[in-house]
C-alpha cells in the first residue's frame, strides 16, 4: 500500500548513513571525466553551527551535486581552520587546553555538517592544528626564508590590548581588531614578515585575469595594493649630513614646498632636532606612542612641532622648516613628506594652523593670474613661479622635473604601493611555531627541514599575557643546527591566515607525509573552479592566498594558472528578526533543532529559495513551513505512482493528449532548463529553479487527481527525483530507490531540457478596451498586430465596448496584450 506521509527523519538518516558507507562522494584523482573543484571557505570550529552557516554549505553542495550529475569528476572537500585566538581565549576562560576544546568542536560541527546532507569527500578532511598539517606551514616558511621573502625586523606594529597579540595591517583596518573590535595600539617590536610587496605588481596586474570574481572584490584588492607612480628624491638638511627622502606623485608642485613633515619614528629625527627644541619634540613624540594608526592618520587633528632644523629644496634651493608630525608614519613611504599647502588639503590645514606660507605654483586651466586661495587647488593646470618649468602643463612638467632630478643624480622615477609586507608574528600559543632558533655564535638560524615539524608543547600555562611559549623552558631551550651549541627557539607563532592561504592545495593530496602535495595530483585539480565564501575576506585570506600561489608557481610546485581561484561567489547573510544571528542577540536557530523540526531537505530548499544567494535573506516561519509543505506535496504526488513510473522510459518524451499534459511536460523541462542554466551561468539563482519545481509539483498533483493512469504523469514522476536531487537529495534518493534503481541517484546524469516540451504551442492574448480587460483569446504564437486586431474584433465583449466609438490608438505587446483606446 502506498505511503501518504513522508517520514523525513528516518529517510534522511537512512541516506546519510548509506552515502557515508558507500563513499558516494569520493573524488577520483585519475578519473577520465573533466574535473570540477568546488570549495567553500573552511570554517573555524567554534562549537555549534546555525542555519546562517548552512546557507553557505547548502549552496556549495547544490553546485557540487549539479556538476557531478552533469558528468564531472567533482572534488568537494571540507576541513577546519583550527588554530587561532578563540581556542586560546576559551582555554583562559574555561581552564581547558585548546587542543581538546578544538577537537570536540570539530567533532560536533562535523556531525552537524553531515546532518545537512552535504556531499563532502571526508577522506580528504584536514585540520590545520594537527602537526601533519602545520609541518608544511613550517616548510613553506623555510622556502620563503631561503628566497628572502620571510624576514625579521623591528617595526611599529598594531597591538590588540584585548587579544594581547600583533595584528597585520589588514587585520587592523579602521583602527580596530578584526576579531574582537577593540581599538588597536601602536608598539615597536621585532617581528616576522612575509615580503608580499615583492609580488605587488603581479597581484595588481593579475586582477585582470579574475573575470569570474565580483568586481567589488577586485576593486577592494586594487585599492588595498594602491599602486602609484611618482618620483623619489631627497632634501638636504641645513648644517647636517642627514638627508630626507620623499616620494611624490605631484612633482609638478615641488616649487610650492614651504615645510617638511617627518614621522615621530623617523631614523634621522635625533640627528636633526636642535638642542633648543629637543625637550618639546620628545614630549610630542612620547604623546604619540599609545596612538593607533587610525587615530594618527584620520581621527586626530593634524598637528606637529618644529624641530629647529631646516631642509633645502633641491630644485628651488629654498630653506623650509622641518616639523615632526602625528600624521606621517615611518612605515608608509619614506617617513617624510614635502608640505605643499597650496595644493594639498592636509598640508593647507597644517600650514594655516602653524602660520606657514602658502605658495601657489599651479593655476587652473584658463586662469590668467594668481589669486588668493581660500582652499587648496588640487587639480592639474599650468605652472607658475616654478623656475625653468613655469608655463608648462602639469603633465609635461612632471616628466621634465623627473628628468632634471635624474640627470642631477638627486632622484629617480619610482613606483610605490600602499600595501605593506605581511606581518605574521603572533605572541600566542595556539598557532604554528615559527621554525627558527637563535644561537650566540650563528645568530638567527632556520630549523633543518628534516627536523620538522617543530611541535607545540602540550604542557603550557595560558594566561593571555605575552607569549605562553616563552615560559616553557623545554620548548625554548634548543640546539643550534650549525654548531650544536645551546640556542633559543623562536616563541612567536604564525598568523592563522598562513594556514588558510594554501589549504586548498592540501585537499588535493591530504595524506602525503613526504611533501605538502604531489604536483601530479594538484595539476589535475587546480585551480579551484568555484570558490564560495564571505566578502569580508577580500583583502585578507584572498590576497594572501594569491601571494602564496604565485610563489608556489615561481618555485615550480604548481603549473598552469597563476591564480588559485578561477571563480569567486560571495553568499549573502541570513538574518533572523532583522538581525544577524548571534548568541548575544538571542536569535540563533541551531542546525540540530531545525533539522529535527523541519527536515534537512525543507531547510535546504528554503535557504536556496528565499532570495538569490548573494542577497541578504530573512529566516521566517512562513518561509520554512512553505518548503515543508512542498516536500510533503511532492511525496504525495510521486510516491503512489513509483511502480508505474519505473516502467515508463525517461529517454523519450511521451505524447501529450491534452493541454494539461502539455503543461506538465513544459513544467518538467522548464525546471530542468532553469537548474542547468543557473549552474552553467554561475549565477546560482536556484531560487528560480525551485519556483519552477513548485509549478512541476502543482502539475503532478493536478494530473494525478484527474487522470492517474496518464503516461505523461508516470514519466513526470520518474523524472522528478533526478531534477530535484541537487536541492533535496534525501527525498530524491528515496523516490529513486522505490522505483527500483539500485545505484545512487547522485551518480546519474542530470536530464537535458527537451525543446519540444518547452515550445509554446498556444498563447493567451489579453484584449483591453481603455485599459480594462474585455476578452482573452487563445491563439498561435507569433501574431502580428493586424491579426491580433482581427481576432479582438471577433469578440462580442470587445465589440460591445466599442459600439460605434472611434478607436484612437492601438497598443500591442506581441503575444501578450492588445489595448484599444477609444472615445
Amino acid at each position: 500500500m502506498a505511503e501518504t506521509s513522508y517520514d523525513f527523519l528516518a529517510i534522511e538518516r537512512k541516506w546519510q548513513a548509506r552515502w557515508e558507507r558507500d563513499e558516494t562522494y569520493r573524488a577520483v584523482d585519475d578519473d577520465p571525466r573533466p574535473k570540477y573543484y568546488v570549495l567553500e571557505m573552511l570554517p573555524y570550529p567554534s562549537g555549534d553551527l546555525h542555519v546562517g552557516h548552512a546557507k553557505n554549505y547548502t549552496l556549495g553542495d547544490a553546485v557540487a551535486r549539479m556538476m557531478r550529475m552533469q558528468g564531472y569528476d567533482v572534488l568537494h572537500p571540507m576541513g577546519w581552520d583550527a588554530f587561532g585566538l578563540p581556542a586560546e581565549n576559551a582555554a583562559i576562560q574555561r581552564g581547558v587546553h585548546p587542543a581538546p576544546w578544538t577537537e570536540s568542536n570539530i567533532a560536533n560541527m562535523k556531525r552537524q555538517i553531515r546532518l545537512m546532507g552535504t556531499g563532502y569527500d571526508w577522506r580528504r578532511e584536514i585540520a590545520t592544528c594537527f602537526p601533519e598539517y602545520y609541518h608544511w606551514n613550517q616548510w613553506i616558511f623555510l622556502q620563503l626564508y631561503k628566497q628572502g621573502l620571510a624576514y625579521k625586523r623591528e617595526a611599529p606594529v598594531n597591538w590588540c590590548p584585548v587579544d594581547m597579540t600583533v595584528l597585520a595591517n589588514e587585520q587592523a583596518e579602521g583602527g580596530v581588531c578584526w576579531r574582537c573590535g577593540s581599538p588597536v595600539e601602536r608598539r615597536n617590536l621585532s617581528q616576522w614578515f612575509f615580503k608580499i610587496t615583492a609580488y605587488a605588481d603581479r597581484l595588481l596586474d593579475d586582477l585582470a585575469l579574475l573575470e569570474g570574481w565580483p568586481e567589488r572584490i577586485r576593486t577592494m584588492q586594487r585599492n588595498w595594493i594602491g599602486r602609484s607612480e611618482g618620483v623619489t628624491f631627497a632634501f638636504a638638511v641645513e648644517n647636517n649630513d642627514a638627508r630626507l627622502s620623499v616620494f611624490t606623485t605631484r612633482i609638478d608642485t615641488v616649487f610650492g614646498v614651504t615645510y617638511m613633515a617627518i614621522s615621530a619614528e623617523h631614523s634621522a629625527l635625533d640627528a636633526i632636532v636642535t638642542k633648543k627644541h629637543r625637550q618639546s619634540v620628545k614630549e610630542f613624540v612620547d604623546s604619540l606612542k599609545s596612538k593607533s594608526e587610525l587615530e594618527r592618520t584620520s581621527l586626530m587633528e593634524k598637528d606637529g612641532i618644529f624641530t629647529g632644523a631646516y631642509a633645502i629644496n633641491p630644485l628651488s634651493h629654498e630653506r623650509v622648516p622641518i616639523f615632526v608630525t602625528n600624521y606621517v608614519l615611518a612605515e608608509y613611504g619614506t617617513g617624510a613628506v614635502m608640505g605643499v599647502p597650496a595644493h594639498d588639503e592636509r598640508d593647507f590645514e597644517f600650514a594655516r594652523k602653524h602660520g606657514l606660507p602658502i605658495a601657489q605654483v599651479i593655476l587652473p586651466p584658463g586662469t590668467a593670474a594668481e589669486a588668493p586661495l581660500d582652499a587648496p587647488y588640487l587639480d592639474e593646470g599650468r605652472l607658475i613661479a616654478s623656475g625653468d618649468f613655469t608655463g608648462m602643463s602639469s603633465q609635461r612638467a612632471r616628466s621634465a622635473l623627473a628628468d632634471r632630478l635624474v640627470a642631477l643624480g638627486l632622484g629617480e622615477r619610482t613606483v610605490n604601493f600602499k600595501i605593506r609586507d605581511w606581518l605574521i608574528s603572533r605572541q600566542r600559543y595556539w598557532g604554528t611555531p615559527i621554525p627558527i632558533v637563535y644561537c650566540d655564535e650563528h645568530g638567527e638560524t632556520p630549523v633543518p627541514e628534516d627536523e620538522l615539524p617543530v611541535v607545540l608543547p602540550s604542557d603550557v600555562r595560558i594566561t593571555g599575557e605575552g607569549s605562553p611559549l616563552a615560559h616553557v623552558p623545554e620548548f625554548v631551550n634548543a640546539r643550534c643546527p650549525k654548531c650544536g651549541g645551546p640556542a633559543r627557539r623562536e616563541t612567536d607563532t604564525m598568523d592563522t591566515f598562513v594556514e588558510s592561504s594554501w589549504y586548498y592545495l592540501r585537499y588535493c593530496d591530504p595524506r602525503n607525509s613526504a611533501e605538502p602535495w604531489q604536483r601530479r595530483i594538484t595539476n589535475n585539480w587546480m585551480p579551484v573552479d568555484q570558490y564560495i565564501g564571505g566578502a569580508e575576506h577580500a583583502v585578507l585570506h584572498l590576497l594572501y592566498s594569491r601571494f602564496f600561489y604565485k610563489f608556489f608557481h615561481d618555485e615550480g610546485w604548481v603549473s598552469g594558472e597563476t591564480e588559485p581561484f578561477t571563480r569567486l561567489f560571495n553568499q549573502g547573510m541570513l538574518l533572523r528578526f532583522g538581525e544577524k544571528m548571534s548568541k548575544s542577540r538571542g536569535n540563533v536557530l541551531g542546525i540540530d533543532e531545525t533539522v529535527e523540526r523541519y527536515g534537512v531537505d525543507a531547510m535546504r530548499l528554503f535557504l536556496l529559495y528565499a532570495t538569490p544567494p548573494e542577497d541578504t535573506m530573512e529566516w521566517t516561519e512562513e518561509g520554512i513551513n512553505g518548503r515543508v509543505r512542498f516536500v510533503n506535496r511532492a511525496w504525495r504526488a510521486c510516491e503512489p505512482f513509483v511502480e508505474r513510473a519505473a516502467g515508463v522510459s525517461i529517454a523519450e518524451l511521451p505524447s501529450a493528449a491534452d493541454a494539461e499534459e502539455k503543461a506538465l511536460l513544459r513544467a518538467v523541462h522548464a525546471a530542468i532548463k532553469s537548474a542547468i542554466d543557473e549552474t552553467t551561468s554561475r549565477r546560482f539563482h536556484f531560487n528560480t529553479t525551485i519556483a519552477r519545481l513548485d509549478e512541476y509539483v502543482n502539475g503532478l498533483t493536478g494530473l494525478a487527481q484527474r487522470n492517474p493512469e496518464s503516461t505523461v504523469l508516470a514519466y513526470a514522476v520518474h523524472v522528478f527525483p533526478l531534477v530535484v536531487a541537487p536541492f533535496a537529495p534525501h527525498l530524491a534518493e528515496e523516490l529513486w530507490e522505490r522505483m527500483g534503481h539500485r545505484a545512487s541517484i547522485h551518480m546519474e546524469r542530470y536530464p537535458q531540457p527537451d525543446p519540444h516540451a518547452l515550445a509554446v504551442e498556444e498563447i493567451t492574448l489579453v484584449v483591453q478596451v481603455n485599459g480594462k480587460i474585455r476578452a482573452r483569446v487563445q491563439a498561435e504564437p507569433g501574431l502580428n498586430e493586424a491579426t491580433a486586431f482581427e481576432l479582438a474584433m471577433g469578440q462580442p465583449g470587445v465589440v460591445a465596448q466599442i459600439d460605434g466609438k472611434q478607436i484612437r490608438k492601438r497598443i500591442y505587446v506581441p503575444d501578450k496584450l492588445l489595448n484599444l483606446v477609444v472615445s
Side-chain angles (χ1 to χ4, degrees), residues 54 90 168 194 282 295 304 404 524 539 583 625 715 719 815:
F194 285 159
K282 181 181 183 303
E295 287 178 289
R404 177 73 60 87
N524 175 62
V539 291
K583 291 181 181 177
N625 284 322
Y715 167 85
V719 175
D815 287 349

Side-chain angles (χ1 to χ4, degrees), residues 164-477:
M164 299 287 287
T165 191
V166 168
L167 304 173
N169 286 331
E170 294 89 342
Q171 296 161 348
E173 195 171 6
V176 296
C177 174
W178 76 282
R179 186 178 290 280
C180 72
S182 58
V184 170
E185 299 174 356
R186 302 289 286 173
R187 293 190 181 185
N188 269 331
L189 293 173
S190 184
Q191 302 287 290
W192 284 96
F193 292 83
F194 285 159
K195 198 171 185 179
I196 193 172
T197 54
Y199 283 77
D201 266 321
R202 289 166 62 186
L203 289 167
L204 183 65
D205 293 343
D206 287 356
L207 287 170
L209 304 175
L210 300 176
E211 295 179 355
W213 283 37
E215 182 54 37
R216 64 181 180 133
I217 301 297
R218 293 198 290 175
T219 298
M220 289 168 74
Q221 289 211 0
R222 194 175 292 117
N223 292 340
W224 188 264
I225 296 166
R227 186 181 193 274
S228 56
E229 297 182 6
V231 179
T232 298
F233 65 105
F235 285 71
V237 178
E238 187 179 62
N239 302 320
N240 198 295
D241 293 333
R243 296 173 70 81
L244 302 178
S245 291
V246 299
F247 169 81
T248 181
T249 60
R250 292 298 304 273
I251 191 64
D252 53 320
T253 67
V254 68
F255 283 85
V257 175
T258 62
Y259 73 97
M260 290 289 293
I262 67 173
S263 74
E265 301 84 11
H266 199 287
S267 59
L269 178 58
D270 282 345
I272 67 173
V273 67
T274 63
K275 184 177 180 180
K276 178 181 176 182
H277 295 86
R278 187 168 297 278
Q279 183 58 34
S280 58
V281 166
K282 181 181 183 303
E283 290 172 359
F284 179 79
V285 169
D286 288 345
S287 72
L288 299 177
K289 288 182 178 178
S290 64
K291 304 300 181 184
S292 70
E293 180 181 325
L294 178 69
E295 287 178 289
R296 288 178 58 175
T297 57
S298 301
L299 302 181
M300 297 176 68
E301 183 182 1
K302 305 300 179 287
D303 203 0
I305 192 163
F306 182 41
T307 63
Y310 289 85
I312 307 300
N313 188 319
L315 291 173
S316 71
H317 307 294
E318 292 186 354
R319 179 175 180 258
V320 296
I322 303 171
F323 284 75
V324 58
T325 65
N326 59 0
Y327 62 86
V328 178
L329 302 178
E331 65 269 33
Y332 282 81
T334 63
V337 173
M338 63 183 202
V340 187
H343 304 291
D344 181 274
E345 288 180 346
R346 181 184 60 187
D347 298 349
F348 186 85
E349 176 187 337
F350 189 88
R352 281 202 160 175
K353 179 173 182 177
H354 292 275
L356 298 169
I358 298 174
Q360 186 175 8
V361 293
I362 306 286
L363 287 181
T367 303
E370 179 182 359
L373 289 174
D374 294 324
Y377 176 68
L378 306 178
D379 295 329
E380 299 187 351
R382 177 173 57 85
L383 270 66
I384 60 172
S386 298
D388 298 342
F389 306 92
T390 297
M392 290 185 181
S393 67
S394 289
Q395 184 176 1
R396 182 185 170 202
R398 281 197 293 273
S399 178
L401 283 158
D403 288 343
R404 177 73 60 87
L405 286 167
V406 171
L408 293 173
L410 299 176
E412 60 182 359
R413 287 182 169 85
T414 309
V415 175
N416 219 5
F417 293 91
K418 176 187 171 186
I419 190 174
R420 290 292 168 264
D421 283 342
W422 176 9
L423 192 160
I424 68 157
S425 286
R426 298 295 180 269
Q427 291 68 47
R428 301 305 294 245
Y429 165 69
W430 196 234
T432 299
I434 294 175
I436 294 289
V437 299
Y438 302 95
C439 170
D440 289 342
E441 182 177 348
H442 295 102
E444 177 185 292
T445 306
V447 173
E449 290 180 20
D450 61 5
E451 293 182 15
L452 298 180
V454 176
V455 178
L456 278 173
S458 58
D459 188 13
V460 178
R461 183 169 176 264
I462 303 170
T463 64
E465 297 178 2
S467 171
L469 292 175
H471 302 291
V472 183
E474 296 82 5
F475 178 81
V476 175
N477 297 328

Side-chain angles (χ1 to χ4, degrees), residues 661-713:
E661 290 190 341
K662 286 181 183 178
L664 178 55
L665 289 176
R666 191 176 302 122
V668 170
H669 288 272
I672 293 170
K673 184 176 187 301
S674 174
I676 292 174
D677 287 351
E678 292 305 329
T679 305
T680 55
S681 70
R682 307 298 186 260
R683 288 188 304 264
F684 308 135
H685 285 189
F686 295 130
N687 54 308
T688 62
T689 304
I690 295 169
R692 301 288 81 75
L693 287 169
D694 281 344
E695 296 169 3
Y696 191 155
V697 171
N698 288 341
L700 279 172
T701 302
L703 190 56
Q705 292 172 349
R706 187 182 67 83
N707 184 9
E709 302 301 317
S710 166
T711 301
V712 168
L713 173 67

